[in-house]
Amino acid sequence: MTDQTKDRVLIFDTTLRDGEQSPGATMTHDEKLEIAELLDDMGVDIIEAGFPIASEGDFRAVSEIAERSKDAVICGLARAQLPDIDRCWEAVKHAGKPRIHTFIGTSPLHRAIPNLTMDEMADRIHETVTHARNLCDNVQWSPMDATRTEWDYLCRVVEIAIKAGATTINIPDTVGYTAPRESADLIKRLIETVPGAPDVVFATHCHNDLGMATANALAAVEGGARQIECTINGLGERAGNTALEEVVMAIKTRSDIMPFTTGIETKKIMHISRRVATVAGFPVQFNKAIVGKNAFAHESGIHQDGMLKNAETFEIMRPEDVGIAGTSLPLGKHSGRAALRAKLKELGVEVGDNQLKDIFVRFKELADRKKEVYDDDILALVSATADEETDSLQLVNMSVHCGTGGPATADLEMEIDGKEVSATSQGDGPVDATFKAIRMLHPNAARLQLYQVHAVTEGTDAQATVTVRLEEDGMIATGQSADTDTVVASAKAYINALNRLVVRREKTGKDVKEISYKDA
Ligand code: KIV
Ligand code: ZN
């Protein structure tokens, strides 16, 4: 490790790979490109863009992200098999800075699955890392379930991987089993014990099964790791991964006890968090650190009083540093496009002229209906406009009649594959009537698994964010939308979920091979 990299912690984001493995979190091709661009612009050092052998869709996404990459290293995942590694290289080789990440489960439980002896697995690691290194100068190797692997064997396989040419050794806590002191100690002992270890970068990859992922990752850095693997909003398998926003803001806020730096432009955190929540269909819990709706909200009298006197009484970081203004927006119905663009910039959101035009139209509509337009409203508008252009199902118009007198009636106009169609349906309440009308226009067997409404801001004129999760033949798709009219937001969220199912049907058609870690 050079002096220059000593205190700099590399941020490795795996939202598009480990994050997308969360049940129900599927992103379309265009959404993946968008998220990758936001990550690159925010200063993420390494983007794990996908698992190229998993499907034709993953391969295309990793290849295109690699082609479009700017500063970030683009990494693809591969099992310890030569065809996986070749496929991964075919996808990442288009990047200015490509990386192959290959892994195998080394704990007793994981060794039993491919039924390899310790010696056979050691040979496989030597063969596959050597092969990856012959293709690419930048190779990461991971012993999956490292924290439950026997110490002597872990040292042995890490040494083999380093000798075969791995430049980064990642130590995954695959099942979220470790605890901070143990996490720090493991990395420290590996670096002290394994020959060649001080010459490579050690990484930490923590899952959150016991709610300790962020603490374990930061402890690993104290033990000597200089790469943190994480995801936006902590998305990931089961209880998720270390959250990018948490480790970055912890390092920034407590530089007195963690004297490290990252290259992340923190003002962009809130926007990317919102985008990932929307495209992955996983709303952020209100009390989530840094990015939750309540993270900078104060309700009790004592806290409000303290805040008015000095914000530092109850806030350890400035909301502006993560891309939220602490106060309400001065934007209103008289604000122009320049003010909107400036506000978006302040929120860390960069949009092209066309998207700005769309957001501006919606902003004016909203400002007409709503007294105050808050930052959260603007971010909700940005999310809503980013999705719609390429969707095959679009809402054109709707009206609903409902009340105490009987069933509700919904009249709906939609554009489906460019053709305008309309339907009227009755239902048990306005949302039921609306969903039935949508099903008349786009018949489908999808089962409604979740219907959830949140207010974006306060007041009866607040925008509602609606989340709809559908299940069809084992495929899960989640849609989200925001509007001051809850029924309109519901219709748009339902249509959004259907659009995702259309994409998933295409994606999982012929081209997806059943793939599992079990084959590793
Ligand atoms: O959790 C894990 O072990 C992983 C590996 C593929 C690195 O995600
Ligand atoms: Zn993982």
Side-chain angles (χ1 to χ4, degrees):
M1 208 184 295
T2 65
D3 274 352
Q4 232 192 349
T5 54
K6 230 174 180 166
D7 301 326
R8 167 82 190 263
V9 177
L10 300 171
I11 299 297
F12 175 111
D13 182 278
T14 182
T15 305
L16 298 172
R17 198 278 298 169
D18 210 320
E20 218 217 1
Q21 284 174 210
S22 313
T26 311
M27 301 177 215
T28 65
H29 184 77
D30 288 346
E31 286 164 352
K32 287 184 182 177
L33 298 187
E34 181 201 338
I35 299 298
E37 190 176 352
L38 292 174
L39 292 169
D40 206 339
D41 289 344
M42 185 170 67
V44 162
D45 299 284
I46 304 112
I47 298 173
E48 187 161 58
F51 197 171
I53 195 115
S55 73
E56 199 48 45
D58 252 42
F59 178 80
R60 271 194 305 116
V62 178
S63 309
E64 210 169 322
I65 289 169
E67 272 161 24
R68 293 174 176 217
S69 59
K70 299 171 199 159
D71 298 322
V73 172
I74 303 301
C75 174
L77 186 68
R79 292 169 300 180
Q81 293 176 10
L82 302 188
D84 272 45
I85 293 170
D86 290 338
R87 189 75 173 145
C88 179
W89 174 240
E90 279 310 304
V92 297
K93 71 177 183 193
H94 306 286
K97 300 178 199 164
R99 174 182 291 189
I100 296 173
H101 175 193
T102 179
F103 74 98
I104 194 162
T106 52
S107 65
L109 284 166
H110 284 268
R111 286 200 304 269
I113 292 169
N115 200 16
L116 292 178
T117 64
M118 282 180 164
D119 288 345
E120 284 164 347
M121 183 167 283
D123 288 346
R124 172 88 77 90
I125 293 164
H126 174 75
E127 181 196 18
T128 49
V129 176
T130 304
H131 184 69
R133 186 55 204 263
N134 284 336
L135 296 169
C136 182
D137 282 348
N138 191 337
V139 173
Q140 171 167 330
W141 181 74
S142 298
M144 185 165 75
D145 206 14
T147 52
R148 294 192 298 170
T149 299
E150 303 91 325
W151 166 248
D152 288 345
Y153 191 59
L154 185 62
C155 289
R156 177 178 168 196
V157 288
V158 167
E159 183 177 349
I160 290 171
I162 293 174
K163 286 211 172 109
T167 44
T168 299
I169 298 291
N170 175 38
I171 302 298
D173 182 29
T174 305
V175 289
Y177 181 69
T178 196
R181 201 172 311 154
E182 188 180 68
S183 174
D185 210 40
L186 180 59
I187 300 284
K188 186 167 176 286
R189 285 169 64 215
L190 281 170
I191 295 174
E192 284 167 359
T193 313
V194 177
D199 303 325
V200 300
V201 173
F202 271 75
T204 176
H205 176 112
C206 300
H207 280 269
N208 203 32
D209 300 64
L210 291 173
M212 293 195 280
T214 295
N216 288 337
L218 292 169
V221 171
E222 283 175 11
R226 285 296 175 271
Q227 175 179 301
I228 296 180
E229 307 212 355
C230 47
T231 58
I232 303 293
N233 300 339
L235 205 61
E237 299 258 22
R238 306 180 310 280
N241 291 58
T242 301
L244 179 146
E245 60 278 6
E246 292 176 6
V247 282
V248 168
M249 290 313 290
I251 288 173
K252 188 176 160 89
T253 308
R254 293 307 312 272
S255 57
D256 54 333
I257 53 165
M258 290 182 275
F260 310 110
T261 58
T262 74
I264 299 295
E265 203 181 324
T266 60
K267 276 193 175 151
K268 301 199 161 165
I269 283 179
M270 191 52 83
H271 173 53
I272 195 163
S273 159
R274 297 285 159 82
R275 276 308 287 152
V276 168
T278 302
V279 303
F282 275 57
V284 175
Q285 81 199 48
F286 282 18
N287 58 339
K288 174 112 180 116
I290 322 289
V291 292
K293 191 170 160 358
N294 288 354
F296 295 95
H298 308 270
E299 205 177 87
S300 84
I302 295 174
H303 285 218
Q304 284 184 350
D305 186 49
M307 287 299 294
L308 286 170
K309 292 182 172 129
N310 180 350
E312 284 179 29
T313 49
F314 290 105
E315 277 179 358
I316 57 167
M317 62 197 120
R318 297 179 330 142
E320 296 88 332
D321 289 345
V322 293
I324 357 170
T327 48
S328 71
L329 267 181
L331 283 190
K333 63 178 175 184
H334 301 299
S335 305
R337 202 170 298 199
L340 179 63
R341 192 190 278 282
K343 173 48 75 182
L344 289 170
K345 200 159 169 229
E346 187 189 314
L347 294 173
V349 182
E350 278 157 34
V351 292
D353 287 343
N354 282 344
Q355 203 189 346
L356 179 70
K357 235 190 262 168
D358 286 354
I359 298 168
F360 188 65
V361 171
R362 284 163 185 254
F363 158 69
K364 282 287 181 184
E365 283 169 10
L366 185 65
D368 267 341
R369 280 180 283 154
K370 208 171 172 291
K371 259 202 326 258
E372 284 163 306
V373 180
Y374 297 96
D375 290 7
D376 279 343
D377 290 317
I378 302 279
L379 289 168
L381 288 184
V382 174
S383 280
T385 53
D387 282 335
E388 288 172 4
E389 268 169 32
T390 51
D391 287 347
S392 58
L393 311 175
Q394 313 243 4
L395 178 68
V396 176
N397 229 323
M398 65 178 285
S399 64
V400 176
H401 179 80
C402 63
T404 51
T409 308
D411 289 315
L412 224 89
E413 281 173 48
M414 285 178 65
E415 197 179 292
I416 300 186
D417 294 326
K419 231 174 85 194
E420 284 214 8
V421 286
S422 60
T424 299
S425 179
Q426 289 196 327
D428 189 6
V431 174
D432 187 47
T434 303
F435 284 16
K436 280 184 176 145
I438 294 170
R439 270 199 299 277
M440 283 167 78
L441 295 174
H442 178 73
N444 64 82
R447 217 169 45 81
L448 184 68
Q449 273 198 337
L450 173 91
Y451 170 74
Q452 208 172 51
V453 184
H454 288 297
V456 175
T457 51
E458 272 108 64
T460 50
D461 61 352
Q463 289 197 93
T465 294
V466 176
T467 306
V468 167
R469 183 178 297 177
L470 300 176
E471 188 269 332
E472 187 189 76
D473 281 343
M475 285 185 297
I476 295 171
T478 313
Q480 230 181 35
S481 192
D483 198 281
T484 49
D485 185 320
T486 309
V487 187
V488 172
S490 304
K492 287 182 183 165
Y494 186 41
I495 291 169
N496 188 222
L498 288 172
N499 276 311
R500 277 159 199 279
L501 265 188
V502 171
V503 173
R504 286 217 70 182
R505 269 187 226 122
E506 282 163 11
K507 188 175 156 185
T508 54
K510 298 264 179 310
D511 67 3
V512 170
K513 241 185 0 180
E514 265 304 308
I515 187 143
S516 86
Y517 287 157
K518 294 192 188 84
D519 305 332

